Amino acid sequence: MSRYRIHVTGIVQGVGFRPFVYRLALEAGLVGFVYNDPAGVWIEAQGDSPALEQLLVQLKAEAPPLSKVETISFELKDEISEKSYTNRERNDAGNDINMDSTDVALCEYCLRELNDPSDRRYRYPFINCTDCGPRFTIIRDLPYDRPLTTMAGFPLCPDCKAEYEDPLDRRFHAQPVACPVCGPQVQLVDAEGRELAGSDGAIEATVEQLRRGKVLAIKGLGGFHLACDARSDAAVALLRQRKARLEKPFAVMCPDLDSVQRYCVVDEAAAALLSGNRRPIVLLPRLENGQKLAAGLAPGQHQLGVMLPYTPLHHLLLGEFAAPLVMTSGNLADEPIAYRNDDALERLATLADGFLLHNRPIHLRCDDSVVTTLNDGPYFIRRSRGWSPEPINLPVELPAHLLAVGAEQKNCFALGRERHAFLSQHIGDMENLAVLRAFEEVIRHYQRLFRVQPEAIVHDPHPEYLPTKWAMEQGLPLIPVQHHRAHIASCLADNGYAGAALGVAWDGTGYGDDGAIWGAELFLADAGTNWRRLCHLGYQPMPGGAATVRQPWRMAAIWLESAGIDPYSIPGFGEKLAREEWGLIKTAVERGINSPLTSSGGRLFDAAAALLGVRWSSLYEGQPAIELEQLANSAETGAYELALDTSRQPWRWDARPLFRQIATDLQAGITREAIAARFHRGVTTGIRHAVEKAAEETGIRTIALSGGVFQNRLLTTLLADDLKQRNFSVLLHRRVPPNDGGLALGQLYLATRSMGNW
Ligand code: ZN
Ligand code: ZN
Ligand code: FE
C-alpha cells in the first residue's frame, strides 16, 4: 500500500478531467480524492503500488479528448485511513481561496446534447455541466452551492437531481444544472414588456425580428447585449443612432470559426482564443476581399472585434440566424451595462425594439473581455468575463489586506491578500454616479467572496479622479501610488517579476509628482518605492487642456510651433487650421491659460495623427493612435529622430526634430503610409536610446513596457524586438492590460513595498 499526491497541469479544467480521474480510481479500487484549483488538478490516491503506477500512465494516455496534459508530478504521502474515492469541490480541499470560478463557455459535450434531438435538453438554452456554464455571475455568497446562487429558485427535478448526485456523472455537483422541466426559461417581450413569445418560440421570433432589421436586447451571461444584423447597413446605423455612439467599433458574434474566416484573418493563436472556453472578443484584421459586413460596424478600422457564442442561448440564436450579429454592450453611452430584467426594460427601452429575457438572475454584471494577440498569446485590452475573478499571483506577499481602486478610465479595482490579487472585471469609465455605484457594489461582493477586509486603500494621487475621492471618504489609511509607476509595477507583477527593472511607461494621461500631466516616462524600478524618473518627453502645453484629447489638431499645431515650423506651411493641415481660432489659443497658451504641461506619449501620437490628416478630431479614446498605427507601411525602413537630451536630470526626449522631419516629408509629398511608419520607428529608436543609456548607468537590463500607448502593437513589437536584439530582457503584459484596466494590480504591488511607511 502507498499514497501518492499527484499534480497535473495543462488544459485539465473545464474538460471533464475530474470525473475521468474519479472513474479511473474507482475502477482500480483506489481511495482518496481529486480536486482542482488554478494550479491544475490535484489527486490523492491510495492503494497498491501497481494500481497507482497504472493510474499515472492512464492520466496521460487516456486523458479526455479536450484536455492537454503538460506535466504530471507526484510525491509519496503517508497513508491515511480512508474508505472511498471522492470527487471534491475545490473548497472542500482546504484551499485558501474559496471561490475563483470564472464563467465558462458551453463545452463540447453539452453542445452535442444541445443539438441532439434525442437528448432531454435538446435546444434547451440553459444546458450546462460541471465543466461549463455560469459561475461567477450567479454567485450570491459562499460556499459555492446552489442555494447561494441565483439558481436557488429552481428546485431540481428528479432527473437533474440524480445527475447532480452521481459522482460518475458529468453534472456531479454542477450548481447551475437545469433542464426544460425544472430550469430557467426564455421569453421575448416588446419594448413595453408585453410577451411576444414564450419559451417555445422565443428564439425563433427573436431571429425573425433580427432579420427584419430590428435591434434586440438579449440577456447574456454577465449582462445584456444589444444585437442587430451585422450585415445590414440600416440596422447598424439605427443602433449607432440610438446608442449615441458615433464611430466606436461594435463587436460581432459569428456562428462559428468558419464564419469568422469569411471576414477576418484568423491565425492559430486567434483561433485558440476564439474557440477556447473563455471566449473573449478578439480583435482580428479584416480580410481584404472578405464577405461584406455593414460599413458602420467599425468605421475607419482595419480590424474587427469578433467573438464566438459562449452560452447555449447564443448557440441557438446564432445557429438559427446563421450570420454575424452585432453584440454590443447593453447600455447607453458610458453607463454600466444593464443586467437585471427590470433595469434593462427601463434603461434600454429607447434602444431596443424587443427583449429576449430569461428568468435566471445575473447576480453580478460582467462585460465581455477584449483581447488581441501578441507572441501567440492573448494581449489584453480589457480583462473581464472569462478571467474575472481568477486571482493573479503576486511575486511578493502582501503585509495586509489591501484595496487598490485603480484609475478613472477603464476602471478595475484589485483586492489583495497574501500573494493573491483579485483584479475586478471591467467596471467602466468612472465619470458618473451609476458607474461609481457599480464600483461600490462589486467591491462589496469581492470583499465577501474572497474574505478580504482592507486595512488600507491604494489610490492614484490625481485629486479629481472619482475613485480617489471615494478612497478619501473611507476612513482607512491611504497609500498613493503615482500613475505611471503603477503601470510599470503592474507589468512587473503581471510577469511575476520581483527584481529591478527599467520601466518604460508611455501613456495617455496621468498625474505627475510635479502636478504636470505625465505620460512618456522612463523609471528606475528598483527595490525602493519612489522610483526615480530617469527620462521623460519634454513638456509641452496642452492648448485647452482636456479639449486636446478630442481635438488632436491642437497638439499638432503646438508641436509645430515649438519646433519652429509655421503650421500653415503644412499641406493638408494648414488649410484646415482656422487662423483666428488658433491665434486666440496661442495667446492663451503664451499666457498660461488653460494649458497644463504634459509629457504624454498618447498626445504625441495624437499630434502625429492630426498632422497626417488621419484624425482632425477624435470620436473615441485612442482613435487617432489606432488609425495612425494601421496607416503605417510595414515595408518602410526609415525613422525620424526622437532626440535624447542627457544634459539635464531627468533626461528629456525631444520630439521637435521629429516634427521638423514630418513637416519636411509632408511638404515633399512623401506618402502618409511612409510617414506614419517613420514616426513609429523613430519613437522606437528614441525610447531604445534612453533605455541603453539608463542600462549603461544602472547595469539593469530588464525592461518593462506599460501604459496605454503599448496597446499599439506595431510600436510594442518594434520596440520589444529592437530591445531583444540588443540582449535586453523585455517584460510585456500577459495577464492584464497595459492600459488603465491593469493599473490596480500595479498599485497593489507597489504599495506593498511602502507598507512600512503608513
Ligand atoms: Zn458542459
Ligand atoms: Zn431538471
Ligand atoms: Fe494610464
PDB file of all heavy atoms in Angstrom, residues 120-121 156-161 178-183, ligand 2:
ATOM      1  N   ARG A 120     -32.695  14.946 -23.577  1.00  0.00           N
ATOM      2  CA  ARG A 120     -33.792  15.653 -22.894  1.00  0.00           C
ATOM      3  C   ARG A 120     -33.536  17.152 -22.773  1.00  0.00           C
ATOM      4  O   ARG A 120     -34.428  17.923 -22.426  1.00  0.00           O
ATOM      5  CB  ARG A 120     -34.082  15.018 -21.534  1.00  0.00           C
ATOM      6  CG  ARG A 120     -33.030  15.219 -20.465  1.00  0.00           C
ATOM      7  CD  ARG A 120     -33.338  14.357 -19.244  1.00  0.00           C
ATOM      8  NE  ARG A 120     -32.440  14.676 -18.147  1.00  0.00           N
ATOM      9  CZ  ARG A 120     -32.685  15.636 -17.255  1.00  0.00           C
ATOM     10  NH1 ARG A 120     -33.793  16.326 -17.316  1.00  0.00           N
ATOM     11  NH2 ARG A 120     -31.821  15.879 -16.299  1.00  0.00           N
ATOM     12  N   ARG A 121     -32.314  17.572 -23.074  1.00  0.00           N
ATOM     13  CA  ARG A 121     -32.042  19.004 -23.069  1.00  0.00           C
ATOM     14  C   ARG A 121     -31.870  19.542 -24.488  1.00  0.00           C
ATOM     15  O   ARG A 121     -31.223  20.574 -24.695  1.00  0.00           O
ATOM     16  CB  ARG A 121     -30.786  19.299 -22.236  1.00  0.00           C
ATOM     17  CG  ARG A 121     -30.955  19.035 -20.745  1.00  0.00           C
ATOM     18  CD  ARG A 121     -29.771  19.545 -19.951  1.00  0.00           C
ATOM     19  NE  ARG A 121     -29.917  19.296 -18.538  1.00  0.00           N
ATOM     20  CZ  ARG A 121     -29.554  18.153 -17.946  1.00  0.00           C
ATOM     21  NH1 ARG A 121     -29.023  17.185 -18.662  1.00  0.00           N
ATOM     22  NH2 ARG A 121     -29.727  17.996 -16.651  1.00  0.00           N
ATOM     23  N   LEU A 156     -34.362  21.247  -8.210  1.00  0.00           N
ATOM     24  CA  LEU A 156     -34.014  20.229  -9.201  1.00  0.00           C
ATOM     25  C   LEU A 156     -35.145  19.205  -9.367  1.00  0.00           C
ATOM     26  O   LEU A 156     -35.716  18.736  -8.384  1.00  0.00           O
ATOM     27  CB  LEU A 156     -32.748  19.495  -8.750  1.00  0.00           C
ATOM     28  CG  LEU A 156     -31.457  20.302  -8.771  1.00  0.00           C
ATOM     29  CD1 LEU A 156     -30.369  19.577  -7.991  1.00  0.00           C
ATOM     30  CD2 LEU A 156     -31.007  20.558 -10.192  1.00  0.00           C
ATOM     31  N   CYS A 157     -35.425  18.837 -10.617  1.00  0.00           N
ATOM     32  CA  CYS A 157     -36.358  17.751 -10.884  1.00  0.00           C
ATOM     33  C   CYS A 157     -35.642  16.429 -10.578  1.00  0.00           C
ATOM     34  O   CYS A 157     -34.417  16.414 -10.443  1.00  0.00           O
ATOM     35  CB  CYS A 157     -36.843  17.802 -12.328  1.00  0.00           C
ATOM     36  SG  CYS A 157     -35.579  17.338 -13.513  1.00  0.00           S
ATOM     37  N   PRO A 158     -36.348  15.317 -10.461  1.00  0.00           N
ATOM     38  CA  PRO A 158     -35.685  14.050 -10.104  1.00  0.00           C
ATOM     39  C   PRO A 158     -34.554  13.671 -11.063  1.00  0.00           C
ATOM     40  O   PRO A 158     -33.507  13.201 -10.626  1.00  0.00           O
ATOM     41  CB  PRO A 158     -36.826  13.025 -10.164  1.00  0.00           C
ATOM     42  CG  PRO A 158     -38.064  13.828  -9.932  1.00  0.00           C
ATOM     43  CD  PRO A 158     -37.814  15.183 -10.519  1.00  0.00           C
ATOM     44  N   ASP A 159     -34.740  13.900 -12.357  1.00  0.00           N
ATOM     45  CA  ASP A 159     -33.687  13.546 -13.325  1.00  0.00           C
ATOM     46  C   ASP A 159     -32.425  14.378 -13.091  1.00  0.00           C
ATOM     47  O   ASP A 159     -31.309  13.860 -13.078  1.00  0.00           O
ATOM     48  CB  ASP A 159     -34.182  13.776 -14.754  1.00  0.00           C
ATOM     49  CG  ASP A 159     -35.188  12.710 -15.178  1.00  0.00           C
ATOM     50  OD1 ASP A 159     -35.230  11.649 -14.502  1.00  0.00           O
ATOM     51  OD2 ASP A 159     -35.918  12.945 -16.153  1.00  0.00           O
ATOM     52  N   CYS A 160     -32.597  15.662 -12.924  1.00  0.00           N
ATOM     53  CA  CYS A 160     -31.443  16.541 -12.698  1.00  0.00           C
ATOM     54  C   CYS A 160     -30.786  16.213 -11.358  1.00  0.00           C
ATOM     55  O   CYS A 160     -29.564  16.223 -11.230  1.00  0.00           O
ATOM     56  CB  CYS A 160     -31.854  18.007 -12.739  1.00  0.00           C
ATOM     57  SG  CYS A 160     -32.220  18.608 -14.404  1.00  0.00           S
ATOM     58  N   LYS A 161     -31.624  15.920 -10.371  1.00  0.00           N
ATOM     59  CA  LYS A 161     -31.114  15.619  -9.046  1.00  0.00           C
ATOM     60  C   LYS A 161     -30.225  14.371  -9.078  1.00  0.00           C
ATOM     61  O   LYS A 161     -29.154  14.328  -8.466  1.00  0.00           O
ATOM     62  CB  LYS A 161     -32.277  15.399  -8.073  1.00  0.00           C
ATOM     63  CG  LYS A 161     -31.877  15.364  -6.604  1.00  0.00           C
ATOM     64  CD  LYS A 161     -33.122  15.560  -5.732  1.00  0.00           C
ATOM     65  CE  LYS A 161     -32.780  15.941  -4.313  1.00  0.00           C
ATOM     66  NZ  LYS A 161     -32.214  14.922  -3.495  1.00  0.00           N
ATOM     67  N   ALA A 178     -29.665  22.234 -14.840  1.00  0.00           N
ATOM     68  CA  ALA A 178     -31.085  22.525 -15.064  1.00  0.00           C
ATOM     69  C   ALA A 178     -31.546  21.825 -16.328  1.00  0.00           C
ATOM     70  O   ALA A 178     -30.716  21.344 -17.112  1.00  0.00           O
ATOM     71  CB  ALA A 178     -31.293  24.032 -15.221  1.00  0.00           C
ATOM     72  N   CYS A 179     -32.842  21.738 -16.492  1.00  0.00           N
ATOM     73  CA  CYS A 179     -33.391  21.161 -17.712  1.00  0.00           C
ATOM     74  C   CYS A 179     -34.706  21.868 -18.022  1.00  0.00           C
ATOM     75  O   CYS A 179     -35.175  22.683 -17.232  1.00  0.00           O
ATOM     76  CB  CYS A 179     -33.583  19.654 -17.550  1.00  0.00           C
ATOM     77  SG  CYS A 179     -35.036  19.203 -16.578  1.00  0.00           S
ATOM     78  N   PRO A 180     -35.318  21.551 -19.157  1.00  0.00           N
ATOM     79  CA  PRO A 180     -36.551  22.263 -19.518  1.00  0.00           C
ATOM     80  C   PRO A 180     -37.657  22.075 -18.474  1.00  0.00           C
ATOM     81  O   PRO A 180     -38.546  22.916 -18.359  1.00  0.00           O
ATOM     82  CB  PRO A 180     -36.966  21.622 -20.839  1.00  0.00           C
ATOM     83  CG  PRO A 180     -35.757  20.954 -21.363  1.00  0.00           C
ATOM     84  CD  PRO A 180     -34.890  20.614 -20.208  1.00  0.00           C
ATOM     85  N   VAL A 181     -37.585  20.989 -17.716  1.00  0.00           N
ATOM     86  CA  VAL A 181     -38.633  20.722 -16.729  1.00  0.00           C
ATOM     87  C   VAL A 181     -38.470  21.613 -15.493  1.00  0.00           C
ATOM     88  O   VAL A 181     -39.438  22.164 -14.972  1.00  0.00           O
ATOM     89  CB  VAL A 181     -38.603  19.229 -16.297  1.00  0.00           C
ATOM     90  CG1 VAL A 181     -39.624  18.970 -15.197  1.00  0.00           C
ATOM     91  CG2 VAL A 181     -38.848  18.336 -17.498  1.00  0.00           C
ATOM     92  N   CYS A 182     -37.232  21.751 -15.029  1.00  0.00           N
ATOM     93  CA  CYS A 182     -37.041  22.426 -13.746  1.00  0.00           C
ATOM     94  C   CYS A 182     -36.293  23.757 -13.824  1.00  0.00           C
ATOM     95  O   CYS A 182     -36.203  24.468 -12.832  1.00  0.00           O
ATOM     96  CB  CYS A 182     -36.313  21.494 -12.776  1.00  0.00           C
ATOM     97  SG  CYS A 182     -34.622  21.098 -13.265  1.00  0.00           S
ATOM     98  N   GLY A 183     -35.737  24.088 -14.985  1.00  0.00           N
ATOM     99  CA  GLY A 183     -34.823  25.230 -15.017  1.00  0.00           C
ATOM    100  C   GLY A 183     -35.410  26.511 -15.572  1.00  0.00           C
ATOM    101  O   GLY A 183     -36.611  26.613 -15.815  1.00  0.00           O
TER     102      GLY A 183
HETATM  103 ZN    ZN B   2     -34.399  19.180 -14.375  1.00  0.00          ZN
END
